Amino acid sequence: MSKSCQYLDEMAQFGFENDIHSILKLDMPITNGPMARWQRKASSSNTSALNGLSPGKSANVSLSSSKTPSKTPGKNKKQTPSKMGGDRFIPTRNTKQMDVASFLLTKENEPVDANEAGVSSENQKAWSVSLNGYNIEDAKILHLGGKPLNAPEGYQNNLKVLYSQVTTPASIKKTRYISSTPDRILDAPELRNDFYLNLLDWSSRNVLAVALHNSVYLWDATQGDITLLMKMERDEDYICSLSWTKEGSYLAVGTSDCKVQLWDVENQKRLRSMASHTARVGSLSWNEHILSSGSRSGQIHHHDVRLPNHHIFTLTGHSQEVCGLKWSPDGRYLASGGNDNMVFVWPYVSEGGSRNSQSLHSWTEHQGAVKALAWCPWQQNILASGGGTSDRHIRIWNVNSGSCISSLDTQSQISSLVFAPNYKELVSAHGFAHNNVTIWKYPSLTRVAELNGHEDRVLSLTLSPDCSTIASVAGDETIRLWKSFEVDPVKKKAKERLVKSTSSVIHQSIR
């Protein structure tokens, strides 16, 4: 009797354990829960089959007696990976960040060690950065990999673009206004309408020099005063080129009688007249104490104005008149353009150095005379050149590699090019057929604005010392000042403060 009782107890315990296991098993059918989808489908199919039975056959078929499908639905699907990471609501999740998340969640429940509390936070940060590559305190439990897309133009910021498509109100947008009318117009009577001459230059002291036939006039842009600097003795002679020194104290004047004159502007006195060319001097460019001059003969002469024997070197490469001449801002290269459609880049000739007259680069891509040359002030290895009527192309060159980076057909003769650093733009002057000034965004060379008003071809451009205004002179005997590059006053004040702070540091170091 006692054995049978013991046996019954064991059986009851075994049954109880089986019930517990069956309850805990997740793959067993749940009787109390809602009917599964495959069961509902089977039920509906059975119901339709029963409706089609003959009246003589029994229709009392229980749902529970329906057969379970041979394959459990979803078994052929891929199982969820056991490895942590991956969530359909999070695009990418770094596994290292998952470990950090687990650590951060468990860290809160751990007691604080007294020894660890004494360690400085700076040391902890240093160790964390060294071991993990980032500060553990800045880590996030949910880390989204990848960066959000940049906001399209007209939207508020880079974050809201992911969640909002509301455009920025027009009143908030800050657009730069470029006036289509000149700020000032100056008369330039008897100006020679000659494409190959360079008759306008603006000094660092804010004085504009212009050559009118055989005279040179100075216009003080600050005071508004006009001064006659010089006039050639013979009426048949005329001025061909002008160029200020970097300091703005002296002006070089190239003439039709093959000479280069050097003038002290403050005292209105001619310092010297340098003769070395055999034809008119149509282009000039300064590099410290070296003055380079280009002639109709195709030769380029270097003059050291400190020496009695000023002519120190001759560059021969052009077969026709040199009408464009520009030293690079760092003084390393001299670019020259000529009526032979050639562009040359020459190295600096140092005192006592090599007298090799070979050019670094010679480019033949232009199909017209190259007068327009400009060096980029913020990328000193970039040179822009523009061709005449039969070419009409702006070409951007990399002097280091010698390659043409980009080219643009302007559909008009190009007489002058100037880089405007305030907005990183390129300005071009045009003759036939547009007779206007065009502002291009650099380096994309997309048109920003067109400045119309001249009634004849624009011959030359020059930029003001503060880079806010550009002056254009044309065959219609007018000089027009375009104030197209004014800086935002807030940015201007910040820049001035920065310049003052750096200058004070320089003065302190000198003392």
Side-chain angles (χ1 to χ4, degrees), residues 95-283:
T95 53
K96 186 183 289 185
Q97 290 287 344
M98 289 298 296
D99 297 337
V100 172
S102 176
F103 169 73
L104 292 175
L105 289 172
T106 56
K107 180 184 175 183
E108 296 178 356
N109 300 326
E110 292 181 358
V112 179
D113 191 352
N115 295 329
E116 289 183 359
V119 181
S120 67
S121 59
E122 289 297 324
N123 290 341
Q124 288 181 358
K125 182 178 178 181
W127 278 107
S128 177
V129 171
S130 177
L131 294 173
N132 305 311
Y134 52 86
N135 185 11
I136 196 73
E137 298 297 333
D138 298 333
K140 297 175 181 177
I141 294 176
L142 290 180
H143 172 74
L144 296 177
K147 293 182 179 179
L149 298 173
N150 290 330
E153 188 176 355
Y155 291 90
Q156 291 180 355
N157 56 47
N158 288 349
L159 297 177
K160 287 189 178 180
V161 69
L162 298 176
Y163 314 106
S164 172
Q165 294 296 314
V166 180
T167 57
T168 306
S171 58
I172 297 177
K173 290 182 182 179
K174 288 187 177 181
T175 55
R176 169 174 153 228
Y177 173 72
I178 300 176
S179 176
S180 57
T181 57
D183 185 61
R184 187 186 290 264
I185 301 176
L186 305 174
D187 289 329
E190 296 187 82
L191 179 85
R192 290 188 70 87
N193 191 353
D194 191 330
F195 173 81
Y196 300 99
L197 304 184
N198 295 273
L199 306 176
L200 190 71
D201 200 19
W202 208 327
S203 77
S204 58
R205 296 190 178 185
N206 208 18
V207 177
L208 188 67
V210 58
L212 304 179
H213 185 49
N214 61 354
S215 304
V216 176
Y217 286 88
L218 306 178
W219 177 67
D220 190 332
T222 307
Q223 305 294 332
D225 300 332
I226 298 174
T227 306
L228 172 63
L229 178 66
M230 58 88 68
K231 184 176 181 179
M232 299 191 70
E233 295 176 359
R234 299 190 303 171
D235 288 339
E236 60 267 25
D237 291 333
Y238 55 90
I239 310 298
C240 301
S241 54
L242 299 172
S243 183
W244 288 98
T245 58
K246 187 177 179 180
E247 296 77 15
S249 305
Y250 305 101
L251 181 68
V253 181
T255 62
S256 61
D257 61 353
C258 317
K259 293 184 176 64
V260 178
Q261 299 182 16
L262 188 60
W263 283 79
D264 180 353
V265 174
E266 189 174 352
N267 299 314
Q268 297 186 25
K269 179 182 178 182
R270 189 178 74 180
L271 300 178
R272 66 188 304 180
S273 179
M274 300 179 289
S276 61
H277 286 288
T278 57
R280 71 177 187 181
V281 183
S283 53

Side-chain angles (χ1 to χ4, degrees), residues 22-59:
S22 64
I23 290 170
L24 294 177
K25 278 188 180 179
L26 296 178
D27 57 349
M28 293 292 290
I30 303 172
T31 56
N32 300 351
M35 190 181 296
R37 185 182 177 191
W38 63 269
Q39 287 178 332
R40 291 199 301 272
K41 280 192 174 183
S43 173
S44 60
S45 62
N46 287 341
T47 307
S48 60
L50 288 173
N51 291 337
L53 289 175
S54 60
K57 290 195 177 182
S58 173

Side-chain angles (χ1 to χ4, degrees), residues 307-322:
L307 305 177
N309 299 323
H310 54 86
H311 183 204
I312 60 171
F313 203 65
T314 300
L315 301 175
T316 55
H318 291 282
S319 58
Q320 295 186 41
E321 182 169 13
V322 180

